[in-house]
Amino acid sequence: MTDQQAAGSGYAAARLALLREDERSGAARRQALSQLTDRWLSGLLADALQGAPAQGVALVAVGGYGRGELSPRSDLDVLLLHDGGARAAAVPALAERLWYPVWDQGVALDHSVRDLGQARKVAAEDLKAQLGLLDARHVAGDQELTAQLRSAVLADWRATAPKRLPELRELCRERAERQGELAFLLEPDLKEARGGLRDVTALDAVAASWVADAPRAGLADAATRLRDVRDALHLVTGRTTDRLSLQEQDAVAADLGLLDADILLRQVYESARVIAYAADVTWREVERVLRARSGRGSRRMFGFGGGAAGSRGPVERRPLAEGVVEMEGEAVLAAPARPGNDPVLPLRAAAAAAQAGLPLALSTVRRLAAEAKPLPVPWPDEAREQLITLLGAGESAIPVWEALEAEGLVARLLPDWERVRCRPQRNAVHRWTVDRHLVETAVRAAAMTRRVARPDLLLVAAFLHDIGKGWPGDHSEAGEVITRDVATRIGFPKQDVETLALLVRHHLLLVETAMRRDPDDPATVAVVTDAVGTVGALELLHALTEADALATGPAAWSNWRATLVGELVQRAAAALAGVAPPQDSATEATAEEERLAVEAARTVGPALSVRAETEGGEGTGSEAMGVELTLALPDRPDVLPTVAGVLALHRLAVRTAAIRELDPIGAGPVLVLTWKVAAEFGDVPEAARLRADIRRALDGGLDVARRLAERDASAPRRRGVVAPPPRVTVARGSSASATVLEVRAHDAPGLLHRIGRALEGTGVRVHRARISTLGADAVDAFYLTDAAGQPLSDAAATELARSVERALLA
């Protein structure tokens, strides 16, 4: 046996003994394996030099080996570096004497031979080679030569960062599209998938560029956990692999001392989420810095962010909601915001960011996590509305939700969430973990809010429908119990709590019944009608069923299934049609409404009262959660759009509104409008100012439509959420004395003004209205008659609905 063979045998035996040590594992074992390999290769280089000095030649570890992260089956990635001097001609022979003993041991070797200039040239042409050299570490030979390489490579990397970082971002994007997201895959690639070890390497490269750095909290631990899993996978399989296949998961879990494969996957998923979130934050910061350096203003580089100001001039801040502004393409807290005094602020900031299509800034999320006080139980109405607004934002809610979760705010808001967080679903049909499936279902439901009368209940039911999967037993039954508790905690009234519990309990009912029962059998329809009880609940369950299936994966929904479920719903709706329709009788007028109506009738002008509301009753100042405006004035055609427009000009968001007719002194009808409004920013204006502006608008001295158009034209264009189009329908059979028009649309400043103008332009009379805002959706009902006070004909009502819908789409 030659000396080289003996050395190789010694390395193999020592390596095997190291891998069998129970007391040394994880990072300590990877470091020990790297050090053992260093000593072996150092000896091989000395032998290959045959007694010649090592000056001008160095053996350099690169890539994972350079970082000292050798896994049991990792390749040895090494560079034989030389100075290109007189000994350059002898280097190829030296390399052969060095590599052959490594190959003889069956060790996987990724090797190259270059001088300093060649190494820099290859790095300049090949991004992956440059990334490997960023981790260059001296193993043996001329240490000064290795130092020169490291200095040159780092200097080149920093000098070319504006060009190379966008290339690196694109590589990460392409890899993520090809490999998927580690946090949701049943058989993930621990290295290549998004949130895997390749992303950790990319983040280290960004930090080395001095352009930006990743949020480091938890990042090192997440990377270490993935490397530990990869080590166990190598030991269990005995081969070089990074894919955690199903058949290996139990053995890998056992090797790591975990109870089962589900716990293993949850740990993998949690680590991947930390890494993926850090990558998202880092690439946004890279884009911001490079954009500022180039002075390109709001041009976007990678597809993140956008809308940020360049480095010239002051940073622009645009208001999004009370205490929240847009700055440099992110949602941040306004300077006066005080999270410690505003427990709703985390949800308001999240909702505003999602609705604007913006990410929440890392500093903002961390400040909210550190300073915001817990919400009272039950939640204030605003908190519930902001959660619904967040869920209703669609796709843009996902990165905002991930930011809240990364800083622990989700678990603080909803303690029951922790049981489903990162919980795997071992079913090939499911694309997501349980928690992400719930968010994805809400995203799908957000596109269906025009189909239901209660979009808020649809969104929350979608968000909670599988919440029971974190508990033993039937998840629908467990979910019903949890939903009652959660819905009560977040402030829904009792009837809504029961509806949500019903939807969660029966969220599989329509699919299972349609697929397994004879649709022509009356008993089949009875199964559905007995469970849901009302047409409204059936409508919600139908939309929830579709959203759930679409969020599950492509195999869960098809045209055939949609048809079967749709036909079953039609039969059930027909069976439920015998239930008496809701009556249109209104509650009696309050004493305050009657007082104002008398004043308006006697003065033939507007009479207005303003009452501030808090969660605990009446109040004023910063404690006020909203304001109730009651306005009475003699009946005239343009009241609704005019008053709604004035409120919009004062940036008052209408939460609810009601219109009724009174005749208090027998001198003719007086319209009484009761509005609950909230200031979008700042405080509600004084009652005298509102009254004066309303009077001016009614008298023609204030052109409300022109002022609103001017303000909209000057407002900056944001990406924001692409909301479903408005839907206007005739609710036939809802009233014996009037035609009821229902409008479902995305809530926006001036929406009620636009609806009112569209109605007034048709010549119909609005006798009553019920306006409600549910999250980001407006669901309004208008009781209309013709000029003679009669309900509209079917044809006229249908044409009116189309006309209003066209006006809202314009």
Side-chain angles (χ1 to χ4, degrees):
M1 179 181 294
T2 66
D3 290 343
Q4 287 182 341
Q5 289 173 329
S9 299
Y11 169 73
R15 179 179 177 280
L16 182 61
L18 176 62
L19 296 179
R20 287 178 174 176
E21 287 184 13
D22 291 334
E23 64 274 9
R24 184 153 48 179
S25 62
R29 181 171 60 196
R30 288 189 291 275
Q31 184 178 18
L33 185 56
S34 298
Q35 293 170 348
L36 173 65
T37 304
D38 287 354
R39 293 192 294 271
W40 178 48
L41 292 179
S42 296
L44 292 180
L45 179 62
D47 292 344
L49 287 169
Q50 298 175 339
Q55 186 175 1
V57 178
L59 187 62
V60 182
V62 297
Y65 180 30
R67 295 188 296 272
E69 296 169 358
L70 272 185
S71 289
R73 291 285 175 174
S74 289
D75 294 351
L76 298 184
D77 197 352
V78 294
L79 164 66
L80 183 59
L81 183 68
H82 62 95
D83 61 4
R87 297 177 57 183
V91 169
L94 172 65
E96 286 192 12
R97 293 194 298 273
L98 179 59
W99 305 145
Y100 273 105
V102 179
W103 290 329
D104 287 343
Q105 291 299 310
V107 176
L109 181 67
D110 187 355
H111 62 89
S112 58
V113 180
R114 297 185 181 104
D115 64 26
L116 183 59
Q118 290 169 336
R120 294 179 69 182
K121 183 175 185 294
V122 169
E125 296 172 350
D126 185 343
L127 179 58
K128 292 181 180 179
Q130 189 170 34
L131 294 175
L133 288 173
L134 289 176
D135 294 310
R137 179 176 58 83
H138 182 73
V139 174
D142 189 340
Q143 192 164 354
E144 178 60 28
L145 188 59
T146 303
Q148 292 177 22
L149 173 69
R150 284 183 52 81
S151 296
V153 168
L154 280 170
D156 292 344
W157 176 245
R158 288 163 185 161
T160 59
K163 172 179 177 291
R164 303 315 297 265
L165 287 178
E167 293 178 21
L168 177 57
R169 175 67 187 104
E170 189 57 32
L171 278 180
C172 293
R173 188 200 304 279
E174 291 173 356
R175 177 168 42 79
E177 291 176 354
R178 186 172 62 253
Q179 297 290 341
E181 295 194 59
L182 176 54
F184 306 113
L185 296 169
L186 274 178
E187 293 187 306
D189 188 307
L190 301 169
K191 188 174 184 179
E192 301 292 338
R194 178 175 181 266
L197 294 172
R198 286 280 191 208
D199 279 334
V200 178
T201 303
L203 292 176
D204 290 340
V206 173
S209 74
W210 289 354
V211 170
D213 194 11
R216 292 288 164 179
L219 185 59
D221 289 342
T224 297
R225 190 175 298 116
L226 291 187
R227 293 185 185 113
D228 290 348
V229 174
R230 183 175 63 170
D231 286 1
L233 181 61
H234 285 188
L235 292 173
V236 164
T237 62
R239 52 181 208 278
T240 304
T241 179
D242 297 312
R243 187 166 298 280
L244 186 60
S245 61
L246 289 171
Q247 62 266 29
E248 312 295 354
Q249 289 174 10
D250 287 324
V252 170
D255 186 85
L256 292 170
L258 302 176
L259 185 62
D260 57 33
D262 275 4
I263 294 177
L264 168 67
L265 279 183
R266 291 191 78 172
Q267 290 189 359
V268 168
Y269 294 163
E270 288 170 354
S271 300
R273 290 191 186 185
V274 171
I275 296 167
Y277 177 64
D280 287 346
V281 171
T282 302
W283 287 119
R284 286 203 304 270
E285 180 64 11
V286 168
E287 181 184 6
R288 185 192 67 78
V289 172
L290 296 186
R291 185 174 56 241
R293 287 183 181 179
S294 67
R296 284 181 294 174
S298 62
R299 288 178 61 188
R300 300 167 64 196
M301 296 175 61
F302 305 136
F304 282 101
S311 59
R312 302 172 185 173
V315 177
E316 185 178 2
R317 293 174 173 85
R318 300 187 183 103
L320 296 176
E322 183 68 29
V324 190
V325 298
E326 175 186 353
M327 185 179 72
E328 294 190 311
E330 295 181 318
V332 303
L333 294 184
R338 296 293 180 266
N341 299 328
D342 187 356
V344 182
L345 186 56
L347 282 170
R348 189 186 310 122
Q355 286 290 327
L358 297 171
L360 269 177
L362 175 64
S363 59
T364 292
V365 186
R366 288 187 169 172
R367 185 180 171 196
L368 290 171
E371 299 180 21
K373 296 297 187 292
L375 283 166
V377 178
W379 288 7
D381 289 346
E382 187 199 357
R384 184 177 67 255
E385 291 296 323
Q386 296 294 351
L387 174 63
I388 294 163
T389 301
L390 170 60
L391 296 177
E395 290 284 350
S396 63
I398 294 174
V400 174
W401 187 262
E402 290 175 341
L404 296 179
E405 186 180 67
E407 298 301 327
L409 282 164
V410 170
R412 191 185 307 176
L413 290 167
L414 300 165
D416 296 285
W417 195 257
E418 193 60 29
R419 281 184 172 264
V420 296
R421 183 175 178 272
C422 292
R423 180 173 291 276
Q425 303 201 77
R426 295 187 174 277
N427 184 325
V429 173
H430 276 278
R431 297 176 56 192
W432 310 106
T433 54
V434 176
D435 60 332
R436 179 61 177 268
H437 171 68
L438 294 176
V439 176
E440 290 284 341
T441 305
V443 167
R444 297 288 187 169
M448 303 176 187
T449 51
R450 303 297 176 266
R451 290 169 40 179
V452 298
R454 291 295 303 273
D456 55 334
L457 297 185
L458 172 61
L459 290 168
V460 174
F463 181 61
L464 295 176
H465 75 280
D466 274 349
I467 196 74
K469 285 188 174 179
W471 296 79
D474 185 306
H475 78 276
S476 297
E477 295 178 0
E480 178 184 9
V481 176
I482 298 168
T483 297
R484 280 199 174 90
D485 177 66
V486 173
T488 301
R489 187 189 315 141
I490 66 179
F492 276 106
K494 184 176 180 181
Q495 183 176 350
D496 290 348
V497 170
E498 291 305 313
T499 299
L500 288 168
L502 181 150
L503 293 172
V504 170
R505 174 67 180 88
H506 296 294
H507 71 271
L508 297 175
L509 174 67
L510 293 180
V511 165
E512 291 181 347
T513 305
M515 297 293 294
R516 299 176 185 175
R517 303 283 292 272
D518 178 5
D520 294 323
D521 186 345
T524 299
V525 174
V527 168
V528 176
T529 56
D530 290 349
V532 300
T534 66
V535 174
L538 177 64
E539 175 186 76
L540 287 166
L541 188 60
H542 187 195
L544 172 60
T545 300
E546 184 174 343
D548 181 17
L550 290 172
T552 297
W557 196 245
S558 63
N559 290 336
W560 175 60
R561 287 193 177 193
T563 299
L564 290 179
V565 170
E567 290 175 351
L568 176 61
V569 169
Q570 286 182 345
R571 287 183 169 92
L576 290 168
V579 178
Q583 298 300 308
D584 60 356
S585 59
T587 57
E588 293 183 1
T590 66
E592 178 67 2
E593 289 172 339
E594 290 182 347
R595 182 187 71 78
L596 291 171
V598 169
E599 180 182 342
R602 287 176 175 170
T603 62
V604 196
L608 175 68
S609 71
V610 180
R611 182 173 66 89
E613 293 183 330
T614 66
E615 288 301 314
E618 296 188 11
T620 59
S622 61
E623 296 179 354
M625 302 300 295
V627 170
E628 183 175 277
L629 304 177
T630 303
L631 172 69
L633 71 170
D635 190 8
R636 51 183 290 177
D638 56 351
V639 169
L640 177 61
T642 299
V643 176
V646 171
L647 296 179
L649 282 177
H650 284 278
R651 296 192 181 277
L652 294 175
V654 178
R655 300 305 180 199
T656 65
I659 303 174
R660 71 168 78 244
E661 280 187 355
L662 297 177
D663 189 359
I665 61 175
V670 171
L671 289 183
V672 179
L673 302 90
T674 304
W675 315 71
K676 289 188 177 180
V677 301
E680 293 180 22
F681 316 108
D683 298 324
V684 175
E686 295 179 354
R689 183 179 173 190
L690 281 175
R691 186 185 296 107
D693 282 351
I694 292 171
R695 188 183 293 276
R696 287 173 56 215
L698 291 170
D699 292 343
L702 176 62
D703 190 337
V704 174
R706 183 179 60 81
R707 290 278 300 276
L708 286 173
E710 289 173 351
R711 190 182 72 181
D712 291 344
S714 64
R717 297 292 179 185
R718 299 193 188 97
R719 296 183 312 281
V721 173
V722 179
R727 184 180 181 189
V728 183
T729 58
V730 180
R732 291 182 170 84
S734 297
S735 171
S737 59
T739 296
V740 179
L741 199 70
E742 289 187 351
V743 180
R744 303 173 189 179
H746 185 78
D747 190 34
L751 173 65
L752 192 54
H753 171 72
R754 295 173 64 200
I755 296 173
R757 289 189 67 188
L759 289 174
E760 296 292 350
T762 64
V764 299
R765 295 189 61 194
V766 181
H767 289 268
R768 290 197 306 281
R770 304 297 300 179
I771 285 82
S772 57
T773 304
L774 305 171
D777 290 301
V779 182
D780 304 337
F782 300 89
Y783 289 73
L784 312 171
T785 67
D786 59 19
Q790 298 300 311
L792 308 181
S793 68
D794 285 350
T798 300
E799 180 54 36
L800 174 64
R802 291 174 181 169
S803 174
V804 174
E805 190 168 279
R806 286 194 298 269
L808 295 180
L809 287 169

